[in-house]
């Protein structure tokens, strides 16, 4: 660094969009881009990341504050990752400091050393510890012995070493840790490879073609859309190309929607990949997260297998990214920094000039459109692997069929068949609880959520009414609070009611209910899935938790109870999401040799969407849905940003959005960008707050981003901006 560069630009965790300039202290380590520094910020001291070095600042020198401490010798973020994060901050118009801190494990955000810590069976000496050893006055006694021994053991030692020094080493070590001179190493957080018993299967022709296409491609960025029906062997394709990338010395990033639901996937990677795996998901402790992050960064983890936030894992030898179930909504963060991990992954591949594979049985319409436009390469696996057949789909016309507790007679008969053959059935219903509405049959009163524009769901097992939007709960009233009548009844069906009805109809059957309520306890889901796989369950009733990635060899019937919901959804994506969910859940039937069957209850058996479902024709559905999107000018035929606002005061959110709208008008027209009028959100009141939104639509992305860049400062400056809570969502997924 030239001596003239005495200013550092620092991204601090703050809702302000810019970085802040600080003076470097006269002595101490000179920071480089990507290291953490501790800086004064307002009245606090915060940890920020250096994003730039400069000779001077726009601020007068007298107003500049000084860096208090440089926390790292080397950059925490490899340059490519820092570049990606800066891009993401720009693209999502989200404050750079918050973006950078999202990408860091909490422990590092707090300024702790970037070495593993806690839950230890081994300890390392820190930089501060080494400095302490080198300074006067020297340490004395057991602490001194421990510290210098550690320094001599390449910085790492375990209990056996310390026991030889003193039998009172533990308290001394604790005091060294508390002073930041020593840090604990956690038990190894990596999943080590363990070759499985079975040889890998011989690839089918379509699998082979997909692998060959990816293997033969020239090096560099390439986005593949692997569209394979459920059970077509997509995972097998991933395993092949992941192995190739590992064999070539690379690291691989594999993103999945939810780890808890796919323990089998982790196991398959462990058996097939020649390299340690860091598994990153939301249930990790902060120490485990730090350890996984560091192992990804130092290259010990060859594979990072993780959920959304793993897309920001530092990896210096990244050669391939796989995004499994790329259509899944959980890739989009729904609050704070609202990024899409799938889209960031594609960007990361572009930056890194490496291939990315998006896999799904039901690709998002955006990705399918990109493939059809030639931006992605479409690879198709139209048939199930190993000769298994897709299950025939039968539509049950509810206009002609009576139902008891949500079940039409042909479905009950089909379950009965399975029971006789000792096979399993799965009944899918999109709602947990007993009934979605509690109504008084005397006066028509419906139990409302006190804090939302929503109805309370009846949970009979707990005897409570619960709002699924805000979590409010109340005990179920014994009489109508309006007319004091005794005729309160649950309307409609949830998983609990269906479970109870099945227990009545099939008293001898073992029924497993799988939804958020029945799996709240840690380990409950694994136990339930284990029982199902072991054949100890005859009937499964559950929500979309059942749709993802499970392989139940003895499952031959899937029933879908309330398929029509998506047809009436307020969101333009409702139909797509419903179709994907039903296709995924239908894909659970007949995966291992035994033929399966799918029954779908609907009031609209002639709807093109259900006709396509009946043929397993996702592309046919996509043709239809894409045409609708084009006619209505929705994504992927335009690009959206949604400005949301909420306030406990009725009208404030709308008033703020009106200011934002007016500010947009003062910018003059931006070609290709349309700013709509502010409207109340589809669910106007949630958690006691009134919500509103304003949609911006653009025919081209660059125009959208140019506009947002101009508009955001005006929004921030609006007089009501500090009176409401607001956020900008680029490429919004959920418009409710
Ligand atoms: P997907 O990820 O598309 O749902 P999987 O990769 O999980 O599919 O494969 C479904 C099942 O088929 C798994 O049990 C897998 O072991 C098996 N399988 C995959 N490829 C082959 C193949 N080429 N030959 C035989 N069985 C295969
Ligand atoms: Zn009443
Ligand atoms: Zn509520």
């Amino acid at each position: 660094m030239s001596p003239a560069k005495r200013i550092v630009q620092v991204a601090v965790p703050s809702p302000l969009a810019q970085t802040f300039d600080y003076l470097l202290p006269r002595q101490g380590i000179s920071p480089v881009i990507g290291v953490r520094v501790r800086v004064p910020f307002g009245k606090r001291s915060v940890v920020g990341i250096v994003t730039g070095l400069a000779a001077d600042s726009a601020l007068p020198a007298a107003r500049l504050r000084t860096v208090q401490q440089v926390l790292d010798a080397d950059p925490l973020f490899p340059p490519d990752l820092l570049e990606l994060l800066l891009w993401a901050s720009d693209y999502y118009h989200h404050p750079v400091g918050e973006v950078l801190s999202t990408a860091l494990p909490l422990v590092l955000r707090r300024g702790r050393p970037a070495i593993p810590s806690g839950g230890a069976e081994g300890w390392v000496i820190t930089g501060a510890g080494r400095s302490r050893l080198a300074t006067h006055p020297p340490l004395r006694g057991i602490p001194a012995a421990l510290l210098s021994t550690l320094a001599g053991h390449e910085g790492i030692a375990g209990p056996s070493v310390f026991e030889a020094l003193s039998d009172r080493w533990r308290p001394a070590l604790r005091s060294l840790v508390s002073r930041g001179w020593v840090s604990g190493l956690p038990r190894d957080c990596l999943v080590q490879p363990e070759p499985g018993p079975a040889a890998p299967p011989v690839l089918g022709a379509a699998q082979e073609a997909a692998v060959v296409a990816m293997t033969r491609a020239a090096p560099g960025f390439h986005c593949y859309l692997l569209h394979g029906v459920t059970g077509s062997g997509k995972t097998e394709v991933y395993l092949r190309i992941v192995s190739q990338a590992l064999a070539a010395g690379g690291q691989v990033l594999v993103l999945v929607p939810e780890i808890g639901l796919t323990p089998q996937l982790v196991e398959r990677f462990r058996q097939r990949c020649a390299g340690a795996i860091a598994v990153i998901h939301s249930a990790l402790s902060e120490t485990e997260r730090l350890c996984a992050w560091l192992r990804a960064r130092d290259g010990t983890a060859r594979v990072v297998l993780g959920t959304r936030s793993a897309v920001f894992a530092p990896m210096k030898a990244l050669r391939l990214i796989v995004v499994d179930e790329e259509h899944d909504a959980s890739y989009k963060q729904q609050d704070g920094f609202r990024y899409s991990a799938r889209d960031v992954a594609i960007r990361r591949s572009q930056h890194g000039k490496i291939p990315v594979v998006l896999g799904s049985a039901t690709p998002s319409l955006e990705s399918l459109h990109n493939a059809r436009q030639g931006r992605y390469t479409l690879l198709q696996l139209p048939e199930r692997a190993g000769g298994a057949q897709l299950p025939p789909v039968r539509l049950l016309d509810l206009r002609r069929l009576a139902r008891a507790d949500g079940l039409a007679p042909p479905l009950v008969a089909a379950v009965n068949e399975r029971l006789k053959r000792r096979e399993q059935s799965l009944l899918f219903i999109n709602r947990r609880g007993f009934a979605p509405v509690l109504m008084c049959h005397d006066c028509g009163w419906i139990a409302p959520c006190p804090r939302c524009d929503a109805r309370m769901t009846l949970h009979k097992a707990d005897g409570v009414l619960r709002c699924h939007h805000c979590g409010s709960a109340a005990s179920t009233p014994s009489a109508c609070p309006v007319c004091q009548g005794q005729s309160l009844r649950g309307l409609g069906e949830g998983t609990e009611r269906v479970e109870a009805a099945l227990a009545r109809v099939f008293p001898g059957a073992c029924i497993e209910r799988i939804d958020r309520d029945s799996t709240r306890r840690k380990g409950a889901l694994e136990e339930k899935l284990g029982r199902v796989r072991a054949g100890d369950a005859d009937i499964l009733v559950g929500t979309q938790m059942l749709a993802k990635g499970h392989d139940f060899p003895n499952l031959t019937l899937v029933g879908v109870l309330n398929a029509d919901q998506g047809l009436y959804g307020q969101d333009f994506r409702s139909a797509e999401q419903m179709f994907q969910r039903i296709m995924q859940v239908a894909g659970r039937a007949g995966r291992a040799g035994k033929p399966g069957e799918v029954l779908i209850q609907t009031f609209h058996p002639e709807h093109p969407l259900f006709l396509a479902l009946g043929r397993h024709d996702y592309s046919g559905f996509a043709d239809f849905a894409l045409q609708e999107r084009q006619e209505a000018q929705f994504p992927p035929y335009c690009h959206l940003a949604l400005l949301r606002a909420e306030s406990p005061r009725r009208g404030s959110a709308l008033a703020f959005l009106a200011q934002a709208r007016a500010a947009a008008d003062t910018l003059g027209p931006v070609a290709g960008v349309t700013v709509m009028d502010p409207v109340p959100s589809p669910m106007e009141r949630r958690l006691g707050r009134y919500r509103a939104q304003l949609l911006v639509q653009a025919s081209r992305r660059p125009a959208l981003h140019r506009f947002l860049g101009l508009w955001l400062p005006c929004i921030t400056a609006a007089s009501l901006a500090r009176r409401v809570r607001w956020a900008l969502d680029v490429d919004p997924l959920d418009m409710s």
Side-chain angles (χ1 to χ4, degrees):
M1 189 174 64
S2 79
K5 292 198 171 169
R6 296 213 39 248
I7 309 286
V8 283
Q9 291 153 347
V10 180
V12 300
S14 117
L16 298 169
Q18 79 267 31
T19 57
F20 296 85
D21 290 350
Y22 286 89
L23 272 176
L24 279 176
R26 292 196 188 286
Q27 282 147 11
I29 324 170
S30 298
V32 289
I33 289 175
V35 303
R36 290 171 304 160
V37 286
R38 196 178 282 285
V39 292
F41 190 70
K43 291 193 175 115
R44 296 173 301 147
S45 161
V46 300
V47 174
I49 307 273
V50 173
T51 57
L53 308 168
D56 44 30
S57 167
L59 279 180
R63 288 192 50 203
L64 286 175
R65 303 174 77 179
T66 306
V67 170
Q68 293 163 327
Q69 197 185 356
V70 179
L71 294 169
D72 305 297
D74 304 312
L76 264 195
F77 295 112
D80 62 321
L81 182 56
L82 188 60
E83 192 190 338
L84 180 76
L85 289 162
L86 297 178
W87 168 83
S89 160
D90 247 23
Y91 182 88
Y92 291 104
H93 296 268
H94 197 75
V96 60
E98 287 187 1
V99 169
L100 294 187
S101 72
T102 307
L104 276 185
L106 188 70
V107 176
L108 296 180
R109 266 180 253 166
R110 293 199 174 137
R112 298 269 302 280
I115 46 176
S117 65
E121 45 185 359
W123 286 267
V124 293
I125 185 167
T126 64
R130 285 190 195 279
S131 316
R132 181 61 189 88
L133 273 180
T135 46
H136 280 280
L139 275 177
R140 291 176 195 289
I142 304 171
L146 291 178
L147 206 55
S148 47
T149 305
L150 257 182
H153 275 78
E154 295 179 319
I156 301 185
S160 59
V161 173
F162 300 132
E163 267 151 22
L165 290 170
S166 158
D167 53 6
R168 299 203 351 262
W169 62 274
R170 276 195 188 272
L173 194 66
R174 260 201 300 277
S175 90
L176 292 176
V177 170
S178 72
R179 280 185 271 187
W181 297 339
V182 168
S183 177
L185 287 171
R187 270 164 225 97
D188 198 1
C189 59
L190 299 183
V191 176
Q192 295 301 333
E194 193 175 299
V202 177
L203 292 183
Q207 286 174 313
E208 183 76 42
V211 171
V212 167
M214 292 190 268
T215 312
R216 295 231 177 110
F221 168 72
H222 212 117
C223 185
Y224 299 96
L225 179 60
L226 181 63
H227 177 195
V229 299
T230 52
S232 58
K234 292 183 291 297
T235 312
E236 191 56 44
V237 171
Y238 305 151
L239 288 167
R240 300 293 164 113
I241 54 165
V242 168
S243 300
Q244 288 175 5
L246 295 177
Q251 284 176 294
V252 179
L253 173 63
V254 181
L255 297 177
V256 294
E258 248 169 299
I259 295 265
L261 299 183
T262 50
Q264 285 170 308
L265 187 72
V266 179
E267 197 46 39
R268 278 174 83 180
F269 271 81
R270 171 191 171 86
Q271 291 182 5
R272 296 281 297 282
C273 292
I277 306 171
V279 182
I280 298 186
H281 53 91
S282 58
L284 291 185
S285 74
E286 285 308 325
T287 337
E288 290 169 321
R289 184 179 304 281
L290 173 66
C291 178
W293 195 89
L294 293 169
R295 293 295 174 244
R297 192 178 68 144
D298 69 17
T300 326
R302 304 313 295 169
V303 178
V304 170
L305 180 61
T307 48
R308 183 172 62 221
S309 68
V311 75
F312 296 120
M315 297 168 81
K316 58 179 169 199
L318 185 60
R319 290 287 175 279
L320 170 70
I321 304 181
V322 174
V323 185
D324 190 26
E325 310 287 5
E326 66 88 28
H327 65 280
D328 199 287
S330 67
Y331 283 125
K332 172 88 175 170
Q333 169 117 349
Q334 301 285 12
D335 52 20
F337 171 31
R338 295 165 189 254
Y339 66 98
S340 152
R342 177 199 61 206
D343 296 346
V344 172
I346 295 169
R347 189 66 199 188
R348 191 168 182 179
S349 306
Q350 263 169 342
H351 272 299
K353 302 188 176 57
I354 57 169
V356 56
V357 184
L358 313 178
S360 177
T362 54
S364 65
L365 292 178
E366 282 83 353
S367 296
L368 213 53
H369 179 69
N370 278 327
R372 289 179 177 186
Q373 300 283 306
R375 283 191 285 271
Y376 301 167
T377 302
L378 185 62
L379 302 170
Q380 287 184 290
L381 308 178
E383 279 162 19
R384 282 193 161 177
Q389 294 298 306
L390 283 170
V393 176
R394 191 144 55 98
L395 300 173
L396 301 183
D397 186 350
L398 291 182
R399 292 169 306 190
R400 293 169 220 283
L401 292 166
R403 275 178 305 159
D405 291 316
L407 300 166
L411 185 55
V412 175
V415 172
N416 198 24
E417 274 296 296
R418 295 325 185 272
L419 287 172
K420 281 193 203 141
R421 299 209 299 252
R422 315 209 103 268
E423 294 172 355
Q424 294 170 314
S425 308
L426 183 165
L427 301 188
F428 170 69
I429 175 158
N430 207 4
R431 283 194 198 110
R432 62 199 169 87
F434 186 84
V437 177
L438 181 71
M439 186 171 122
C440 168
H441 279 225
D442 294 335
C443 76
W445 174 82
I446 285 176
C449 172
R451 300 196 287 174
C452 305
D453 291 333
R455 290 153 178 185
M456 299 287 261
T457 298
L458 174 61
H459 287 252
K460 232 180 184 173
D462 310 339
V464 296
L465 295 173
R466 196 170 286 136
C467 172
H468 288 185
H469 301 282
C470 72
S472 289
S475 53
T476 312
S478 54
C480 171
V482 174
C483 73
Q484 274 70 49
Q486 296 289 321
S487 321
L488 291 176
R489 306 232 176 89
L491 289 190
E493 296 84 29
T495 47
E496 262 185 42
R497 181 174 229 158
V498 173
E499 180 190 25
L502 288 166
R504 261 198 319 278
V505 182
F506 303 112
C510 291
I511 304 168
E512 265 323 324
R513 173 162 65 87
I514 298 189
D515 56 29
R516 206 132 47 87
D517 301 314
S518 75
T519 57
R520 223 169 274 278
R521 183 173 53 78
K522 198 170 165 38
L525 177 65
E526 290 71 23
E527 283 167 28
K528 280 175 176 282
L529 293 177
R531 281 201 290 275
V532 176
R533 221 166 287 126
D536 294 341
D538 302 310
I539 309 173
L540 284 85
V541 180
T543 56
Q544 53 264 28
M545 283 182 90
L546 281 175
K548 293 181 188 171
H550 307 295
D551 241 335
F552 303 124
N554 201 31
L555 185 84
T556 60
L557 173 70
V558 167
V560 180
L561 269 58
N562 58 346
D564 292 343
Q565 263 185 358
L567 296 182
Y568 322 127
Q570 287 154 325
D571 194 310
F572 70 87
R573 285 194 177 85
S574 302
E576 175 186 357
Q577 284 162 355
M578 175 191 83
F579 198 95
Q580 289 167 339
R581 224 169 269 147
I582 295 181
M583 251 188 137
Q584 295 280 348
V585 79
R588 302 305 114 207
R591 279 170 69 99
K594 292 189 188 174
E597 184 184 21
V598 179
L599 300 184
I600 298 178
Q601 303 189 153
T602 171
F603 283 96
H604 305 277
E606 73 298 326
H607 194 285
L609 203 148
F610 286 113
L611 294 176
L613 258 178
R615 299 189 305 263
H616 295 282
D617 182 7
Y618 192 76
S619 299
F621 158 74
D623 292 340
F624 170 80
L626 279 169
Q627 191 178 343
E628 267 190 359
R629 296 271 183 98
Q630 185 162 28
E631 280 158 13
Q633 276 302 296
F634 275 125
Y637 298 94
C638 74
H639 306 286
L640 300 180
L642 191 66
L643 181 62
R644 301 172 211 266
E646 57 178 50
S647 161
R649 295 229 310 269
R650 188 192 287 272
S652 292
L654 272 174
F656 161 71
L657 292 181
Q659 288 187 337
R661 172 72 230 259
D665 290 339
T666 65
L667 295 174
V670 174
V673 175
T674 312
V675 183
M676 309 289 184
D677 287 324
V679 290
S681 300
M683 180 184 295
E684 184 173 12
R685 201 166 57 101
R686 191 158 84 190
L687 260 163
R689 293 170 170 275
Y690 293 87
R691 309 156 71 237
Q693 57 191 34
L694 193 169
L695 190 65
V696 181
Q697 198 176 26
S699 50
R700 293 187 52 250
R701 262 190 214 294
L704 178 64
H705 287 281
R706 197 158 4 93
F707 169 76
L708 294 177
L710 294 170
W711 190 38
L712 258 180
C714 311
I715 299 175
T716 313
S719 67
L720 290 173
R722 285 162 179 275
R723 309 264 293 276
V724 303
R725 201 189 279 175
W726 61 272
L728 184 69
D729 189 350
V730 175
D731 304 332
L733 207 54
D734 172 11
M735 315 272 284
S736 66

